[in-house]
Amino acid sequence: MSETIRIGLLGPFQVTADGVPRPVDGERRRAVLAVLALSAGRPVRSSALTAGIWGEDFTTARHRLHTAVNRLRQAIGPATIRTSSGGYTLDLPSDAVDVHRFRTLVAESKRTGGADELVLLDRALGLWRGEPLADVEAGSMAAAHVSTLVEEQLRAIERRADLMLDAGAHAELVAELDGLVHAHPVREFLWSRLMLALHRSGRQAEALGAYQRVRTLLADRLGIDPGQELQRVHHIVLEPVEAPSAAPAHAPGPVPAPRQLPSDIARFIGRTGRIADLDRLLTGDGPDLPSAAVAVISGPAGVGKTTLAVHWAHRVAARFPSGQLYLNLRGHRPGPPVAPDAALMTLLLSLGVPPERIPPDADGRSATLRTALADRRVLMLLDNARDADQVRPLLPGPGSLVLVTSRNRLRHLRRREDAHLIELDPFSPAESAALLDRVLGPAVIDPKTTSELTHLCGHLPLALAIAAERVRNTGIPPSALVEEARDRTARLDALDDGTADVRHAFSWSYQALPDPTAAMFRALGTAPGGDIGTAAAAALADTEPGQAVRLLESLVDQHLLRRPRPGRYELHDLLRAYAAELAAAAGDAEPLERLLDWYVATGRGARSHVQPTSVIPGLGPAPAAREPLRFADSVQALDWFETEHDNLIAAVAAAADAGLDGHCWRLVHMLWAHLHRCRAWPEIAALSEVGLAAARRAGDRYGEAEMLTMGASLRHLRRFDEALATQREALDLYRGLGSRSGRATVLNNLGMIFRSMGRHEEAIDHLRRCAAVDEEEGEPGDLAIALLNLAQAYIESERAAEAIEAAGRSYALLRELGHHRGQGRAMETIGHAHRQLGEYEAAADWLRRASEAFTDIGDRWYQSGSLTGLGRALRGLGREAEARAAFGRALALASDLGDPRAAEIRAELDGPPGEDGAVGSPVSDRR
């Protein structure tokens, strides 16, 4: 029976299993789990986790993230955190997390009303144990939720206060509110309810005193007077005083200047940073405006460029007494864009230039515009520009400001006109939620549904507005809309309210693309994973890398693609869905197969560096792929695996879904060496099942045997019976195929499983049989691994002399092969064996050499283990200071990696251990 996991974020971080606390060490690991818990049941992108918690991009922090997730799985259960496409999902019901239980209870209270509302609010607020996320790293993305959670708590408290006042519980409310106003001194609502509670308790003087306190506090801290609600309650407490009526304002007289701006939005949402950027264009009064200032607001379709431009133009309209001009250039709309000569005619007529004085040609009209505006200060909003050539003739002379919106970056305007470029991104989650609240009103959608709906809309303002209108106008329940939008193939249909739709908005950007660029955009819609590199994109589009870069950068300029870091590109989720639709409609199946060919071919080369000891027959030749990457050494190969980690896992699923079964199991086989090195045992278990199903569908018995062989990794999840079953089934297949190397691999893996089970004699028997097969006709690398594993099994059986002989033979083979990590493992094993014999001087020498070897290749996991063994050997020699130094270095490495061996190393620093830990973690499976 599985354990019941509960996660508490509304106070000090807390994890329990069946009510028993489960400690989670490390602020960043707590931060990762907190972020996953806040999105329980929904995937969180790896790139967001690394940026939000480590402050680094995914390229540099991916290993830390994978390590943190693996440590969390060890702490709370391997099945609890599931690898999703491009990220991770906490596979727990939402009510396992107190934040979601709180939100559910609050939402239920709003629906229920009546006497039960107060009961439900009491239950909800009873979940709070203190400051939310109290011991999660302050700078992490999890900690960024604190203010939102506190706001939700305060709203619940305020609603509860009103309910208690309605119920006549005035006196008992006073003490509670008195503490809250001290904790939140500028929260006017709390002060107003405290005043009412005091007043209704017959404590009028104290209520008036409270008003004086908050009025002074607001003036001192914020420089403002009490708001309307506080003043209303003050009138209730005291005698209501008739406020003098304000003198009517006199409307300004008519100004003979154009006032063409579209209407502003009454409740504009967010964009404070971008408004500040625009405000900086106006550096002073009067003549201090920049000469011929041009600002370009660019961004993808539906991101809110026009809304921002119109809103800011209204904010600063008074700074332009000669008027405000507006012109829609129709750069990405049905029909041809507005030609410069037609645009100039419209602008000149708006400025009062008589038609007979307007020249017939564009150049003449442009000069006339500059003349007409020479002594005037005008704000000109040119909306929806197609390119710089459309805008340039419309620019006035000094003193005016031109604000341009475009889906194109218009970089030529920056080079020649020194334009100020502002790129507009989708909304933040808070801004997205605020937009839904503005359209629908508060409390129509519960927080969980709001969070998922805004995520499915990609935080794109147009998509959010359409979704809100569907809820408001059609009556579709928000939860039903979310369910509809979860299906990627139907998401764009869900974001269509009959009058506007996201697909239509995207289509005008796509239709403006040249054919090669359009083909690249469609191909990107077939690519699995979150992002793509230039070489992979070249394979996808069947073009040269240089041409691929030009096509990708063109899409970036059109805001159809993002470049989050050099050499990597990604599509917005809704644009990905649109591109995938286009690819499906065009019958573009080849790009995915070309990309998978490239991944297999490149991955084979990378694996040969990561695991150079193993030669595996039966895979067949690598597929013919356009320019697969080549690697000089294991460092480059590992870097590629780390960079493509999420994409390769997504590629396995994509291959299975597309029926490309041969690609599917070969991708899994290629990934094994990387995942084994990362100790990503749950991922290996899941992927091997997908690969096994694919090999069986393809009728490929060799592929089936290889996927079964990977089942040996189940031993690391302590699923020993399953691990043994997979190896025995694989052994039967290899016998039928006549593959002695396959049989040897299975014998090795059976030995390792028996080692993990503590059945040392059976382990030794199988490993000796494996070595015999490899020695007779196997590859030197396979024999080296078999001997190394046999040596470790000998140590566990206290047969140190035999261990030294086997590990020595392994070391000699590995030196000939140039396998540096293997050499380090062999030296470490020899050192452990000498220490078991009490030969501490020899042990220290071998373990020091092993540590240096691991340092040279940057393998900190094994370096930590060899340093621990070195410390024990030095302690055996009585060289305590050197031993403690070695333990200290080992502990620093283990702590940084989130290595569970850190506790054992820390114990060594506290004093001599009772028992030796001879070998460390055996990880030498094959395949």
Side-chain angles (χ1 to χ4, degrees):
M1 187 175 180
S2 61
E3 297 174 309
T4 300
I5 303 293
R6 290 284 183 266
I7 298 175
L9 306 178
L10 300 178
F13 192 86
Q14 183 182 80
V15 178
T16 62
D18 293 335
V20 178
R22 284 279 179 88
V24 177
D25 296 328
E27 287 188 347
R28 286 180 173 170
R29 284 195 289 283
R30 287 195 292 270
V32 171
L33 184 54
V35 171
L36 295 177
L38 287 165
S39 300
R42 291 178 289 111
V44 180
R45 293 179 67 85
S46 299
S47 57
L49 287 166
T50 54
I53 294 174
W54 281 271
E56 301 175 12
D57 65 34
F58 186 55
T59 303
T60 56
R62 71 175 65 84
H63 185 66
R64 299 180 188 176
L65 173 60
H66 297 330
T67 300
V69 170
N70 286 332
R71 298 293 83 76
L72 288 171
R73 285 168 170 159
Q74 293 173 7
I76 64 174
T80 307
I81 300 177
R82 174 166 44 87
T83 301
S84 307
S85 178
Y88 296 98
T89 301
L90 183 67
D91 208 359
L92 291 176
S94 60
D95 63 1
V97 183
D98 58 2
V99 169
H100 303 306
R101 292 203 303 280
F102 167 76
R103 288 170 171 167
T104 299
L105 287 167
V106 170
E108 188 179 347
S109 74
K110 293 175 182 176
R111 290 192 300 270
T112 302
D116 290 339
E117 185 177 2
L118 182 58
V119 174
L120 290 168
L121 282 174
D122 279 335
R123 285 175 56 194
L125 291 167
L127 295 171
W128 286 73
R129 297 171 287 109
E131 181 184 351
L133 300 161
D135 49 359
V136 173
E137 187 177 29
S140 73
M141 65 188 293
H145 290 264
V146 169
S147 59
T148 301
L149 291 170
V150 170
E151 177 64 26
E152 292 179 34
Q153 179 195 29
L154 288 172
R155 288 183 183 178
I157 288 170
E158 290 165 354
R159 177 58 184 159
R160 178 176 173 275
D162 276 345
L163 292 172
M164 292 184 70
L165 287 170
D166 292 344
H170 315 126
E172 60 189 274
L173 195 56
V174 169
E176 181 179 332
L177 289 172
D178 192 56
L180 285 168
V181 296
H182 283 89
H184 305 279
V186 296
R187 190 83 175 186
E188 295 186 41
F189 189 96
L190 295 174
W191 282 99
S192 71
R193 271 39 190 177
L194 174 61
M195 290 165 60
L196 282 174
L198 289 166
H199 176 59
R200 294 180 185 180
S201 299
R203 299 158 67 176
Q204 185 182 32
E206 293 176 71
L208 292 172
Y211 180 77
Q212 295 303 323
R213 282 157 51 204
V214 67
R215 185 173 69 172
T216 301
L217 186 148
L218 290 172
D220 290 346
R221 292 199 180 185
L222 305 179
I224 62 173
D225 293 326
Q228 291 183 353
E229 178 64 11
L230 266 174
Q231 293 181 38
R232 183 186 71 82
V233 174
H234 182 232
H235 293 163
I236 292 172
V237 173
L238 194 56
E239 181 88 12
V241 179
E242 195 75 42
S245 59
H250 295 286
V255 178
R259 297 285 186 266
Q260 297 181 345
L261 293 177
S263 299
D264 193 9
I265 292 177
R267 289 178 57 203
F268 184 79
I269 300 296
R271 303 301 193 191
T272 54
R274 291 299 177 236
I275 288 174
D277 288 340
L278 290 166
D279 284 343
R280 281 190 281 273
L281 294 171
L282 307 182
T283 55
D285 296 323
D288 293 334
L289 281 173
S291 297
V294 181
V296 177
I297 301 175
S298 68
V303 81
K305 301 179 291 296
T306 300
T307 301
L308 171 62
V310 169
H311 175 71
W312 184 78
H314 277 284
R315 276 171 48 99
V316 300
R319 303 284 294 274
F320 299 90
S322 299
Q324 303 89 44
L325 294 163
Y326 173 82
L327 187 60
N328 186 346
L329 297 177
R330 303 180 68 83
H332 295 89
R333 284 292 184 270
V338 177
D341 58 346
L344 286 162
M345 171 68 84
T346 302
L347 292 171
L348 289 169
L349 290 172
S350 298
L351 291 167
V353 178
E356 64 273 14
R357 293 179 54 190
I358 299 176
D361 62 299
D363 289 343
R365 290 176 181 180
S366 184
T368 302
L369 178 68
R370 291 192 295 274
T371 300
L373 294 177
D375 298 319
R376 304 169 75 172
R377 286 180 54 188
V378 168
L379 172 62
M380 185 188 297
L381 173 49
L382 302 177
D383 194 18
N384 195 12
R386 186 182 184 92
D387 52 36
D389 290 338
Q390 189 186 25
V391 171
R392 193 171 285 115
L394 313 182
L395 299 181
S400 294
L401 175 65
V402 180
L403 191 58
V404 184
T405 73
S406 179
R407 299 183 189 184
N408 191 315
R409 283 180 167 178
L410 304 185
R411 290 186 293 181
H412 291 294
L413 287 181
R414 178 168 60 184
R415 286 197 288 267
R416 293 182 54 180
E417 275 76 25
D418 196 26
H420 183 74
L421 303 188
I422 295 175
E423 294 195 21
L424 205 57
D425 293 322
F427 272 162
S428 69
E431 290 171 330
S432 298
L435 189 150
L436 293 182
D437 281 349
R438 189 195 72 194
V439 177
L440 298 174
V444 171
I445 308 180
D446 65 89
K448 180 182 177 182
T449 305
T450 295
S451 178
E452 185 168 4
L453 181 57
T454 57
H455 173 74
L456 291 171
C457 290
H459 301 289
L460 195 69
L462 174 63
L464 291 161
I466 292 171
E469 289 298 331
R470 280 200 65 194
V471 172
R472 184 169 71 174
N473 296 334
T474 68
I476 183 175
S479 58
L481 180 58
V482 166
E483 184 65 31
E484 186 179 337
R486 281 181 185 144
D487 182 355
R488 281 185 178 272
T489 62
R491 187 169 303 168
L492 296 180
D493 292 324
L495 299 175
D496 179 354
D497 69 353
T499 60
D501 71 278
V502 173
R503 184 188 288 107
H504 185 72
F506 290 160
S507 68
W508 295 108
S509 294
Y510 172 71
Q511 290 173 21
L513 298 175
D515 287 345
T517 314
M520 173 63 86
F521 179 71
R522 292 194 305 272
L524 290 170
T526 70
D531 68 353
I532 194 167
T534 53
L540 185 74
D542 195 22
T543 189
E544 300 296 329
Q547 173 67 358
V549 171
R550 288 187 286 274
L551 296 174
L552 293 166
E553 287 297 321
S554 177
L555 290 170
V556 170
D557 283 344
Q558 298 294 331
H559 284 284
L560 289 170
L561 192 64
R562 290 182 62 246
R563 185 189 344 97
R565 58 187 183 276
R568 306 297 298 186
Y569 299 86
E570 64 184 17
L571 285 167
H572 183 279
D573 284 348
L574 294 181
L575 282 167
R576 180 184 296 278
Y578 179 61
E581 279 189 2
L582 294 171
D588 289 350
E590 292 181 2
L592 175 61
E593 189 165 357
R594 286 195 299 265
L595 179 63
L596 297 180
D597 280 344
W598 186 87
Y599 276 144
V600 171
T602 299
R604 288 259 194 106
R607 174 172 169 147
S608 69
H609 286 283
V610 175
Q611 194 187 27
T613 56
S614 183
V615 177
I616 303 169
L619 287 177
R626 179 182 279 274
E627 301 188 48
L629 296 179
R630 310 294 181 190
F631 306 100
D633 52 33
S634 63
V635 174
Q636 289 184 3
L638 289 170
D639 182 67
W640 181 80
F641 270 125
E642 291 285 351
T643 299
E644 300 293 347
H645 176 96
D646 290 341
N647 291 338
L648 291 170
I649 290 177
V652 172
D657 291 342
L660 299 170
D661 292 324
H663 290 82
C664 180
W665 78 258
R666 285 177 172 84
L667 282 166
V668 175
H669 185 275
M670 172 265 290
L671 261 170
W672 179 86
H674 162 63
L675 295 175
H676 191 271
R677 174 183 170 273
C678 294
R679 297 160 187 83
W681 316 126
E683 284 90 342
I684 292 175
L687 289 174
S688 63
E689 288 183 8
V690 175
L692 178 61
R696 285 173 171 165
R697 285 194 300 269
D700 191 324
R701 290 175 63 77
Y702 186 84
E704 184 179 354
E706 287 292 319
M707 294 298 97
L708 285 165
T709 303
M710 288 175 59
S713 295
L714 291 169
R715 70 187 176 91
H716 299 287
L717 301 176
R718 305 196 67 76
R719 292 160 60 181
F720 298 125
D721 289 343
E722 295 172 74
L724 289 171
T726 61
Q727 299 314 290
R728 287 165 178 156
E729 190 175 353
L731 188 59
D732 288 341
L733 283 169
Y734 283 130
R735 282 173 177 153
L737 292 165
S739 173
R740 290 178 64 84
S741 66
R743 286 171 52 207
T745 294
V746 172
L747 289 170
N748 173 83
N749 291 347
L750 286 168
M752 299 302 287
I753 295 167
F754 286 129
R755 281 186 61 192
S756 297
M757 297 172 73
R759 292 158 61 173
H760 300 304
E761 290 307 314
E762 289 171 277
I764 290 171
D765 176 58
H766 282 82
L767 291 168
R768 288 175 67 178
R769 288 162 60 193
C770 169
V773 174
D774 284 335
E775 191 159 23
E776 183 177 342
E777 58 180 67
E779 297 294 332
D782 287 338
L783 175 59
I785 294 299
L787 290 168
L788 181 57
N789 290 336
L790 176 61
Q792 293 176 349
Y794 278 141
I795 292 175
E796 289 165 355
S797 295
E798 298 187 0
R799 294 160 64 174
E802 292 169 276
I804 291 170
E805 191 274 334
R809 290 182 61 201
S810 174
Y811 175 62
L813 290 168
L814 291 163
R815 283 190 64 184
E816 290 179 12
L817 292 165
H819 191 324
H820 299 292
R821 180 175 289 102
Q823 291 175 57
R825 293 296 317 281
M827 288 189 284
E828 182 184 22
T829 302
I830 294 169
H832 287 314
H834 279 294
R835 187 163 53 83
Q836 193 175 79
L837 291 171
E839 298 169 352
Y840 295 113
E841 195 70 56
D845 179 60
W846 282 102
L847 288 162
R848 184 178 290 106
R849 290 168 61 190
S851 173
E852 291 168 354
F854 294 134
T855 302
D856 289 343
I857 61 172
D859 195 320
R860 297 184 297 163
W861 172 277
Y862 282 126
Q863 185 187 358
S864 173
S866 60
L867 284 168
T868 303
L870 175 60
R872 289 169 175 160
L874 291 168
R875 180 167 280 162
L877 291 168
R879 290 151 62 176
E880 185 62 25
E882 293 175 73
R884 294 184 65 80
F887 287 135
R889 289 169 59 202
L891 180 59
L893 290 167
S895 299
D896 186 54
L897 291 169
D899 187 342
R901 296 176 299 179
E904 179 185 344
I905 301 169
R906 190 175 290 108
E908 295 281 6
L909 279 169
D910 293 338
E915 276 298 323
D916 274 352
V919 179
S921 300
V923 293
S924 297
D925 299 330
R926 274 161 54 167
R927 305 274 214 291

